[in-house]
Amino acid sequence: MALGLLNIKSGYTFLKSSLKIKDIVKIGKDNNLPFLTLTDFNNMFGSAEFINECKDNNIKGVIGMEVNIDIYESKLILIASSTQGYLSLCKLTKYVSNSKLNSFATLENLEECKDGIIAIFPTLRNNFDELDYEKRDRIIRLLKNIYTSLYLGLEVYGDNDILKLDDIREYARNNLLSCVPCNEILTQSFETTYLLDILEAIDLNTSIEKIEIKNHTYKYVLSESKIKSIFSEQEINNANKIGNLVEYDFDSIKGDLVHYPLKDDIDSFEYLRSLAYKGLEKRLNNKVTKIYYDRLEYELGIIKKMNYVNYFLVVFDYVRYAKQNDILVGPGRGSAGASLVSYSLGIINVDPLKYNLLFERFLNPERISMPDIDVDFIDTKRDQVIDYLINKYGKDRTARVISFQTFQVKSSLRDVAKAYGFSKGEEDTLSDTVGDGNYNSLDELIKTNNRFLSMVKTNDSYKKVYQTALFIEGLPRQTSMHAAGIICNDKPLCNVIPVYDNDFGITLTQLDGGYIERFNLFKMDILSLANLSIIDNCVKEIKNRLNINIDLNNINLDDPNIYTLFDKGLYGGIFQMDENSIKNAARQIKPKCFMDIVVCLSIGRPGPEAFIPLYVDRKDGLKKIEYFHKSLEPILKETYGILVYQEQIMQILVKMAGFSLGKADLTRRAISKKNEEKLQAERNDFISGCIRNGYSKEDAINVFDIILKFASYGFNKSHSVAYAMISAQMCYLKYYYPQYFYCSLFNYSSKETKLEILFRELKINNIKILYPSINVANLQYTIDGKDIRCPLIKIKNINNNIASIIVKERNNGPYKSFIDFIRRVYAYGIKKEDLINLIKAGCFDEFNLNRITLLNNLDTCIMYASIVSHLENDKVVINNLVAEPNISVYEDNFNVNIENEKEVLGTSLSKNPLELVRDMFKDAGFITISEINEEGKKVKIVGKINRIYLKADKNNQEMAFIDVEDETGIISLIVYHDTYIQYKDFLNKDAYIQIKGESDFYRGNMELKAIYLKPYQMKVE
């Protein structure tokens, strides 16, 4: 007689169980169990995944939860016997599911959430056998008063525990209670019990040698014979009776989007319709044509039919709130750009008719699915929008969407290695062997990384780590929060799904985004975008300093001037255009107008990038434009006969086969998912439709095969158009207001690695980055004339606190000299190391003492400051009776200054030595690195060697990859073996060399193949 399991913990009982949901279901299948019960501790994180997996494998899944209760700090297993029982557990989660997952449910909580619940009191883990009868009776009495179905749970975690069962059985008989087996299942088998110690060591961030090894006997599925030897037939029947009793109807559990609050006599659809008409008339300056009115009515009809009126009103409302509260909103993203209603309401700034965007790509009346309007907000104020929603609709009805951090390839190896007591060095060796490869699994790692495979094969310790990591890979480790998802419901969310409160008191759903839609809950993605902060700050600074109001929504997106930036190679900081793959597309396409940007964002990705050369040749007239069929020219003309957008696929299906746009979208989805059975049906439908419309079967087959090839490459045109608007807006600001653009970019971009590129772009624009002057610099980059002033916090180790002290004291009057600065700030506790960094950054250059002099006199100045100054009531008091020390002057060193600047600023702000001799090299036919913009050309440059990588070529001969820098940029120089052998004696780091090479374009970057090299002796006066 198989025993249904009543107490299984999954990995969602974090670091206490080695079982993934799929492992649990496999246990059920392998042992032919009648049902499985998931009872994770104080949470229901895995409930939806569990039910799904059980359903897919024809196993009955039962939902439960084990909770702490405040009666003698006991544990209680609660099982949902019905749909109402599931909802009772959901309601209970609001009391017990918090960041620590260690809350205790009160009797009042249990009473409130008792309907449809079967309760099991696990006796062994609650030390029931050790309690006196008075305490036993109190626990059982209190629980009986709440639950009509209460069982005593029999647990055995070793043969000695069997001896305790008779006492518990006798107590049950005397108190008219039934007993059920309820061993806690935490791992796959006896052989995997060691994983529980590994997980505990990981949890405690230590090794298994330093933890108390616990007894894990019988915390896995016992054999049928063992079960029968421990538990009676009646007890086993009791357990199976519980499983047989359980029935759920999840389809009946539905959430409802919050109703947008309107006065009782106002119909929500009529209100939406009125807003849309007024908005459209405003958008089009009261010149609305019939085609717009028809499209608006069509969309409104579908929105009403699909019952999404309130969804649009809710999104309209929070976007309007943002705009009214100086929170910059993006122009749109995703398929929502295809909605004229969204455009009319001001949710997006993309006119879908102007760009021929298809509403069915966004909301398909032939496929019932939730609408998905993703909105970007300025990243510094996005949380204000979320707070607005929570305050408007209620904390109990609004929640962020949860996500889970899992053990990934590298983390599973590192954590297991530490648990086994590996040293930090051994951990690093393991990690370095894995490298930065983006491996999806350990299985993929060992199949594709020969170095790792060799390590595992030749080292038993590493082999043990790998084999253990295989078990924990993919286990959930802790909760996280979806970057943007938020749910708003018309009733408390815990009446529909389980909820969870994180460390910050933010309510999260316990189910991740993949399962939210099952319960008819609307997920809105309220995203943040740092580029909007850059734009917002730039526009406001232009207004503050130049009194110019810029409305970026009304600029000329086809202004030819703004696209000349790309002709000069000035991609830095332009949204998405500065990414290598998109930059690669742009360098070939050479954007001249807005739609060129749209194409770059669509075609410049892995897969479609293979068609860029053909696209460019056709665009430039070098190759004839060909269409799959002459009737498709109107659809494919804008992309020169090449399929680029998903919308084009839909239009072809409509044009040739007579599909509706809704049917075309369904076919497009089926093709992209490559479901063979559905594909064949769609293929047959397409061919039949084409023949009905007068196309030959041969043409139909040919076009469908082409669509099949391109479908996985096709990009959402709506998204490209919306995001290209941000790119174009940034181009506009960068071209017309470069100082303001770069200044905002430096202040709001976290990509420090790109600063070097941007600094070089400034030189091309004749804009200087000025030293962080001690009397002028602030906590951010600032405009200084036509140049940009570097901030104090850019200096190594100068944090906000130190910089604020400098600025605060400066407000009492400018620093008159280096000594004046030292005596006024040293009393605040600024360290010598900080002062050294300030000197190296050039902060005191204005005092006409060179940096080497200041560094050599620093100790004397500090000694003086320590004598004459101290703090009183947070103010510096200086004793002016002590004479200032004499400063000994030393000779400055230009090269040392440059290296010091790189050390503390990450780059050098001094004039590059090559600038001093540039005219001479220009006369000799040398160009700068930034001027190399065409491949296949032989060029001459001069530069400094930054880095040298030696590598074996395919013949196992030594060659070199060298990073060469001049005042305008860095380029990779490829030196093949024969050339390297000839010139290697003077190829050293920091050496200057003259180069003749051939330009080559590779993965979005220009490179040089060395032809001739010559050393150059740089002399700096």
Side-chain angles (χ1 to χ4, degrees):
M1 180 188 300
L3 168 65
L5 300 180
L6 291 170
N7 187 15
I8 310 173
K9 304 292 192 299
S10 77
Y12 290 104
T13 298
F14 300 123
L15 302 176
K16 298 293 185 289
S17 166
S18 69
L19 296 171
K20 301 164 197 144
I21 296 295
K22 286 189 175 182
D23 296 332
I24 294 171
V25 176
K26 186 175 186 302
I27 287 171
K29 287 192 75 173
D30 290 348
N31 291 277
N32 198 28
L33 300 181
F35 68 91
L36 301 164
T37 308
L38 185 68
T39 58
D40 279 317
F41 186 68
N42 272 1
N43 79 76
M44 296 169 66
F45 296 141
S47 57
E49 181 186 348
F50 173 67
I51 290 298
N52 256 19
E53 194 69 23
C54 285
K55 186 177 179 181
D56 289 346
N57 288 274
N58 297 314
I59 291 179
K60 188 168 192 175
V62 177
I63 296 174
M65 180 167 63
E66 184 175 303
V67 296
N68 279 333
I69 60 175
D70 65 354
I71 313 171
Y72 306 129
E73 297 190 355
S74 305
K75 303 178 189 302
L76 186 65
I77 298 168
L78 303 175
I79 294 173
S81 65
S82 62
T83 307
Q84 180 55 54
Y86 164 81
L87 294 174
S88 293
L89 289 181
C90 289
K91 193 179 293 185
L92 187 58
T93 57
K94 71 179 179 179
Y95 299 118
V96 300
S97 293
N98 56 27
S99 59
K100 304 301 179 190
L101 292 173
N102 61 1
S103 295
F104 285 80
T106 66
L107 289 174
E108 290 78 11
N109 300 152
L110 298 177
E111 177 69 35
E112 181 187 346
C113 310
K114 69 180 181 181
D115 293 341
I117 294 296
I118 298 168
I120 302 173
F121 188 80
T123 51
L124 188 66
R125 287 183 299 129
N126 284 322
N127 299 315
F128 194 72
D129 58 306
E130 297 176 11
L131 297 178
D132 59 42
Y133 275 86
E134 183 180 342
K135 287 184 177 179
R136 287 187 184 187
D137 289 345
R138 179 171 182 266
I139 291 173
I140 299 305
R141 184 179 70 254
L142 290 171
L143 292 178
K144 269 189 169 183
N145 286 340
I146 298 173
Y147 300 108
T148 56
S149 295
L150 175 66
Y151 293 83
L152 284 184
L154 303 179
E155 300 173 286
V156 175
Y157 301 114
D159 292 339
N160 289 338
D161 294 338
I162 298 175
L163 304 176
K164 303 174 184 179
L165 296 184
D166 287 342
D167 174 49
I168 295 168
R169 286 166 174 150
E170 182 181 357
Y171 181 86
R173 283 193 298 272
N174 293 338
N175 289 274
L176 304 178
L177 289 168
S178 296
C179 295
V180 291
C182 72
N183 267 27
E184 185 179 44
I185 307 299
L186 298 177
T187 191
Q188 288 90 332
S189 63
F190 171 76
E191 289 74 22
T192 61
T193 52
Y194 76 98
L195 294 172
L196 303 180
D197 295 321
I198 293 290
L199 289 170
E200 183 170 1
I202 292 172
D203 191 20
L204 298 174
N205 194 29
T206 188
S207 68
I208 53 176
E209 296 173 350
K210 297 178 181 177
I211 65 170
E212 178 186 350
I213 301 299
K214 296 176 181 176
N215 173 34
H216 302 305
T217 309
Y218 298 167
K219 292 191 176 178
Y220 44 86
V221 181
L222 303 178
S223 67
E224 191 169 333
S225 60
K226 187 67 176 178
I227 290 168
K228 288 181 177 178
S229 71
I230 298 173
F231 305 111
S232 71
E233 185 175 343
Q234 182 59 52
E235 289 159 355
I236 295 171
N237 282 336
N238 289 341
N240 289 335
K241 180 181 174 183
I242 291 173
N244 292 332
L245 181 68
V246 171
E247 288 295 338
Y248 304 130
D249 179 14
F250 286 112
D251 292 336
S252 67
I253 305 171
K254 297 295 181 186
D256 290 299
L257 178 72
V258 288
H259 281 73
Y260 182 72
L262 293 168
K263 292 180 180 179
D264 293 339
D265 59 340
I266 298 178
D267 177 76
S268 58
F269 175 71
E270 289 305 322
Y271 182 67
L272 176 68
R273 191 171 184 271
S274 172
L275 286 173
Y277 266 79
K278 288 178 183 176
L280 183 60
E281 287 161 1
K282 184 179 179 181
R283 286 278 198 188
L284 301 181
N285 296 317
N286 294 315
K287 297 177 182 177
V288 184
T289 58
K290 184 177 183 299
I291 190 173
Y292 277 88
Y293 280 131
D294 289 347
R295 171 72 170 257
L296 193 66
E297 280 297 330
Y298 169 72
E299 290 190 18
L300 286 167
I302 291 175
I303 290 167
K304 182 180 182 181
K305 181 181 177 182
M306 298 181 78
N307 201 27
Y308 295 145
V309 171
N310 274 284
Y311 175 80
F312 278 82
L313 289 174
V314 169
V315 177
F316 153 76
D317 179 60
Y318 67 70
V319 171
R320 177 179 61 178
Y321 164 82
K323 292 179 177 179
Q324 290 175 345
N325 287 272
D326 192 31
I327 300 171
L328 186 60
V329 183
R333 65 146 54 204
S335 58
S339 167
L340 186 63
V341 170
S342 297
Y343 177 65
S344 301
L345 295 175
I347 294 170
I348 63 168
N349 283 323
V350 177
D351 179 345
L353 274 72
K354 180 179 180 180
Y355 298 104
N356 200 18
L357 306 178
L358 307 179
F359 180 69
E360 291 77 7
R361 175 63 185 84
F362 164 59
L363 197 58
N364 188 347
E366 298 182 36
R367 186 180 74 94
I368 303 302
S369 63
M370 302 290 183
D372 189 13
I373 301 178
D374 299 339
V375 185
D376 290 312
F377 296 92
I378 183 172
D379 62 339
T380 55
K381 296 182 179 179
R382 188 272 303 261
D383 286 346
Q384 283 181 235
V385 180
I386 293 172
D387 289 343
Y388 170 75
L389 281 167
I390 293 171
N391 292 332
K392 181 158 189 165
Y393 299 112
K395 189 176 188 297
D396 61 336
R397 296 159 194 253
T398 312
R400 304 289 295 273
V401 176
I402 204 167
S403 60
F404 299 98
Q405 292 182 8
T406 59
F407 285 98
Q408 299 298 307
V409 171
K410 219 166 187 178
S411 61
S412 59
L413 290 169
R414 262 196 176 278
D415 286 333
V416 170
K418 186 166 189 175
Y420 277 130
F422 278 38
S423 68
K424 180 66 166 56
E426 289 172 315
E427 284 181 45
D428 290 342
T429 298
L430 187 63
S431 183
D432 290 344
T433 303
V434 175
D436 296 325
N438 187 23
Y439 300 104
N440 294 314
S441 66
L442 286 165
D443 183 56
E444 181 185 331
L445 168 67
I446 204 160
K447 286 178 179 176
T448 58
N449 186 322
N450 290 331
R451 190 177 164 205
F452 180 78
L453 174 63
S454 175
M455 178 183 286
V456 168
K457 279 185 173 181
T458 58
N459 187 306
D460 287 341
S461 295
Y462 285 124
K463 181 179 180 180
K464 184 168 70 168
V465 168
Y466 168 71
Q467 290 174 336
T468 302
L470 282 171
F471 282 102
I472 73 165
E473 180 190 17
L475 273 177
R477 180 167 190 165
Q478 61 191 32
T479 62
S480 186
M481 187 163 64
H482 187 278
I486 187 165
I487 304 296
C488 288
N489 196 49
D490 210 29
K491 56 188 175 185
L493 276 164
C494 67
N495 291 340
V496 184
I497 57 170
V499 294
Y500 169 78
D501 283 342
N502 71 6
D503 276 328
F504 306 102
I506 297 172
T507 300
L508 307 176
T509 65
Q510 287 204 19
L511 310 182
D512 67 25
Y515 297 103
I516 292 297
E517 192 169 328
R518 164 189 282 184
F519 295 96
N520 201 43
L521 289 166
F522 285 80
K523 179 171 75 75
M524 293 169 282
D525 282 336
I526 298 178
L527 298 117
S528 64
L529 196 60
N531 298 82
L532 295 180
S533 293
I534 296 166
I535 291 171
D536 188 60
N537 178 261
C538 186
V539 169
K540 285 176 177 173
E541 279 297 299
I542 292 167
K543 167 63 178 172
N544 290 339
R545 296 175 69 95
L546 302 179
N547 198 28
I548 296 174
N549 287 308
I550 298 175
D551 182 0
L552 288 173
N553 292 321
N554 286 313
I555 64 171
N556 177 12
L557 295 177
D558 287 318
D559 178 351
N561 289 328
I562 66 179
Y563 299 110
T564 59
L565 293 171
F566 302 127
D567 296 334
K568 299 175 183 177
L570 301 179
Y571 292 89
I574 302 297
F575 180 57
Q576 296 205 326
M577 298 299 290
D578 62 352
E579 296 176 8
N580 278 344
S581 60
I582 307 297
K583 193 192 302 182
N584 177 29
R587 278 178 166 158
Q588 296 178 70
I589 292 171
K590 298 180 174 58
K592 303 297 181 189
C593 63
F594 177 68
M595 287 310 297
D596 284 346
I597 298 293
V598 176
V599 169
C600 286
L601 298 190
S602 301
I603 205 171
R605 298 172 298 109
E609 65 182 359
F611 301 100
I612 294 173
L614 178 61
Y615 179 94
V616 171
D617 284 346
R618 289 182 174 183
K619 177 176 180 284
D620 294 343
L622 300 177
K623 285 189 178 177
K624 180 183 176 183
I625 299 173
E626 297 177 350
Y627 299 100
F628 312 139
H629 191 278
K630 61 183 179 181
S631 66
L632 302 181
E633 181 176 349
I635 297 170
L636 298 173
K637 186 175 183 179
E638 67 171 323
T639 53
Y640 305 100
I642 297 170
L643 263 177
V644 174
Y645 306 120
Q646 294 170 355
E647 287 84 347
Q648 290 174 312
I649 293 173
M650 293 170 62
Q651 289 171 310
I652 290 172
L653 295 170
V654 171
K655 174 71 177 176
M656 292 186 68
F659 287 2
S660 67
L661 281 167
K663 163 72 171 168
D665 182 56
L666 292 175
T667 303
R668 178 195 63 78
R669 291 171 185 270
I671 292 171
S672 64
K673 290 180 180 177
K674 291 185 166 48
N675 182 307
E676 288 299 327
E677 188 176 334
K678 286 186 178 180
L679 266 181
Q680 191 56 49
E682 298 293 349
R683 183 189 188 91
N684 292 338
D685 283 355
F686 178 76
I687 293 170
S688 299
C690 287
I691 293 172
R692 280 195 304 272
N693 285 338
Y695 292 90
S696 70
K697 184 176 181 180
E698 183 182 2
D699 284 341
I701 292 171
N702 178 51
V703 171
F704 192 85
D705 287 343
I706 291 169
I707 289 174
L708 203 60
K709 176 183 176 183
F710 279 82
S712 59
Y713 297 152
F715 200 68
N716 184 346
K717 186 180 180 184
S718 304
H719 181 74
S720 285
V721 169
Y723 265 21
M725 285 185 172
I726 301 177
S727 306
Q729 289 170 354
M730 297 187 86
C731 285
Y732 177 89
L733 293 171
K734 186 173 183 177
Y735 178 82
Y736 287 107
Y737 305 96
Q739 297 100 319
Y740 294 86
F741 175 81
Y742 283 109
C743 194
S744 293
L745 191 63
F746 295 150
N747 284 328
Y748 286 91
S749 175
S750 60
K751 297 180 180 178
E752 289 289 327
T753 53
K754 294 191 175 182
L755 283 180
E756 192 81 18
I757 296 170
L758 296 172
F759 283 177
R760 291 194 180 93
E761 285 194 5
L762 288 175
K763 290 181 179 179
I764 295 172
N765 277 294
N766 294 316
I767 299 170
K768 296 177 183 176
I769 291 285
L770 304 175
Y771 294 115
S773 160
I774 209 68
N775 274 320
V776 180
N778 287 299
L779 274 65
Q780 288 192 313
Y781 288 90
T782 52
I783 302 292
D784 193 329
K786 71 178 189 67
D787 298 316
I788 297 171
R789 177 71 62 180
C790 185
L792 294 168
I793 60 170
K794 170 66 179 168
I795 303 167
K796 181 180 177 182
N797 294 335
I798 303 300
N799 55 30
N800 270 336
N801 182 49
I802 296 172
S804 296
I805 289 171
I806 293 170
V807 173
K808 177 185 173 184
E809 177 57 32
R810 190 173 71 199
N811 290 335
N812 297 323
Y815 300 112
K816 297 175 183 177
S817 67
F818 179 66
I819 292 176
D820 182 46
F821 171 80
I822 296 286
R823 67 187 174 194
R824 286 170 60 183
V825 302
Y826 190 71
Y828 285 101
I830 292 180
K831 298 176 182 176
K832 177 182 176 181
E833 291 77 10
D834 301 327
L835 296 170
I836 290 172
N837 288 347
L838 289 168
I839 294 170
K840 288 180 176 180
C843 291
F844 307 105
D845 287 4
E846 62 205 76
F847 297 138
N848 296 319
L849 287 172
N850 69 59
R851 300 175 197 177
I852 302 297
T853 293
L854 296 181
L855 289 170
N856 285 329
N857 285 274
L858 182 57
D859 286 339
T860 303
C861 294
I862 289 174
M863 180 65 71
Y864 166 73
S866 67
I867 294 171
V868 303
S869 64
H870 66 279
L871 282 181
E872 275 186 22
N873 300 321
D874 201 32
K875 289 186 178 180
V876 178
V877 177
I878 297 174
N879 178 359
N880 290 315
L881 298 177
V882 179
E884 292 184 5
N886 292 320
I887 299 292
S888 301
V889 178
Y890 293 81
E891 185 179 351
D892 207 14
N893 188 311
F894 183 83
N895 288 325
V896 169
N897 287 343
I898 287 179
E899 292 307 312
N900 284 342
E901 286 174 27
K902 287 183 178 180
E903 175 196 343
V904 300
L905 293 172
T907 187
S908 171
L909 301 183
S910 293
K911 182 170 280 194
N912 189 296
L914 285 170
E915 292 180 72
L916 305 177
V917 292
R918 177 53 61 191
D919 288 344
M920 177 188 74
F921 276 107
K922 187 176 181 181
D923 292 341
F926 285 76
I927 65 173
T928 62
I929 289 173
S930 66
E931 292 173 317
I932 304 172
N933 51 26
E934 200 174 343
E935 62 182 320
K937 296 289 183 181
K938 289 183 172 58
V939 298
K940 293 193 297 182
I941 66 167
V942 61
K944 179 183 176 184
I945 296 176
N946 271 354
R947 199 175 299 176
I948 301 176
Y949 306 88
L950 297 182
K951 187 179 178 182
D953 63 17
K954 61 184 179 181
N955 297 318
N956 205 30
Q957 294 180 313
E958 202 168 42
M959 62 176 292
F961 290 85
I962 301 176
D963 285 349
V964 178
E965 171 191 18
D966 70 5
E967 71 271 31
T968 68
I970 296 177
I971 197 166
S972 180
L973 176 70
I974 303 168
V975 188
Y976 292 110
H977 174 70
D978 290 345
T979 311
Y980 176 70
I981 293 301
Q982 187 177 356
Y983 300 115
K984 70 176 184 177
D985 289 345
F986 59 81
L987 296 179
N988 302 306
K989 187 179 182 303
D990 295 331
Y992 286 87
I993 56 172
Q994 299 175 57
I995 302 163
K996 182 178 181 181
E998 183 176 349
S999 59
D1000 185 35
F1001 199 63
Y1002 180 68
R1003 292 185 178 176
N1005 293 300
M1006 198 64 76
E1007 297 179 336
L1008 272 186
K1009 296 175 182 175
I1011 299 172
Y1012 169 81
L1013 304 174
K1014 181 181 178 182
Y1016 177 71
Q1017 188 64 42
M1018 176 62 70
K1019 295 180 181 179
V1020 180
E1021 297 299 331

